[in-house]
Amino acid sequence: CRLCDPKTPNAPCPTRRDFLKASAVAGAAGASALLSSGGTAQAQAQYERAVALARHDPHVLNAYAGFRCAQGAYAEADVLFARALANPLYATPWVALGNAGLCAQRAGELAQAESYYRRALQANSRFAPVLLRMAGLSVQHRNHLSARGYLQRYRAVADETAESLWLAVQAETALGNLPAAAVFARQLRASFPESQQVQQLDNWKSR
């Protein structure tokens, strides 16, 4: 067997598949950069090339699914997320599940979104973005006790955001815990004075 790297003689030599996967991942990263700079059509072509090179790579498929969801192609994105999740070697399935849930939520499919979020938390109970989204859905469904629970779990793994504090204000007010709601409202104003959530708080209090 030829020696690929004298510094690591026991390391296996990269295969053609390894090179294709590396190229696909690089292509997906390049597509993301193009998208950030406004090159949507170029990003689309780059993502399609990346998927062609690594048809079963969950990271590439998850990235492309997120791209298609942002374009409003919700059904196509859902298929791509499913393909990513079908790979048994995917080490972080909760990421794709969380993204699939967010995409379903944007499409107005709240029951499907909640199903994806619950699956994500079954895979990783400390996944902060999904804990926060479940708190948001709980407030939306007027299940404020559930919202409190998700927010408590969220605070155990992540810092407060304007969104988490605003959700806490709504949940605690609905539960009749006005002192706690006032504390969260003060924290929201102090930490995020220019946020949209402070404006929502002001509008809410002026009703």
Side-chain angles (χ1 to χ4, degrees):
C1 175
R2 65 187 178 83
L3 188 63
C4 298
D5 186 350
K7 295 180 182 178
T8 55
N10 295 322
C13 299
T15 64
R16 179 175 180 274
R17 182 178 179 181
D18 293 329
F19 284 120
L20 287 175
K21 180 177 178 180
S23 177
V25 171
S32 179
L34 284 169
L35 184 61
S36 298
S37 63
T40 304
Q42 290 174 288
Q44 171 83 32
Q46 193 88 331
Y47 272 123
E48 288 176 352
R49 179 176 179 274
V51 171
L53 286 171
R55 294 173 53 200
H56 303 292
D57 186 281
H59 304 285
V60 172
L61 290 166
N62 176 55
Y64 186 37
F67 170 76
R68 293 300 287 151
C69 180
Q71 292 184 310
Y74 302 123
E76 181 184 348
D78 195 59
V79 170
L80 289 164
F81 284 127
R83 285 176 58 188
L85 292 164
N87 189 329
L89 300 180
Y90 191 14
T92 56
W94 54 87
V95 174
L97 286 165
N99 289 339
L102 181 59
C103 191
Q105 191 171 351
R106 288 175 176 170
E109 301 291 342
L110 298 188
Q112 184 181 23
E114 184 172 342
S115 175
Y116 277 128
Y117 291 154
R118 289 188 183 282
R119 288 172 59 192
L121 292 176
Q122 285 174 357
N124 181 356
S125 63
R126 295 169 60 82
F127 191 37
V130 167
L131 289 169
L132 190 58
R133 289 175 203 155
M134 281 297 289
L137 282 180
S138 297
V139 168
Q140 190 172 344
H141 293 151
R142 301 184 183 278
N143 190 348
H144 297 102
L145 191 60
S146 176
R148 175 192 277 170
Y150 282 116
L151 288 168
Q152 289 172 340
R153 290 169 62 186
Y154 173 81
R155 288 185 207 106
V157 296
D159 293 331
E160 294 279 23
T161 65
E163 183 179 1
S164 69
L165 290 167
W166 171 229
L167 289 172
V169 171
Q170 296 174 82
E172 295 303 332
T173 300
L175 291 169
N177 191 350
L178 299 185
V183 169
F184 288 123
R186 285 195 297 271
Q187 190 176 350
L188 174 58
R189 292 186 189 281
S191 301
F192 307 97
E194 304 300 323
S195 67
Q196 179 184 359
Q197 285 78 10
V198 167
Q199 295 177 16
Q200 291 174 310
L201 175 62
D202 290 337
N203 293 336
W204 191 52
K205 288 197 173 243
S206 65
R207 292 177 188 174

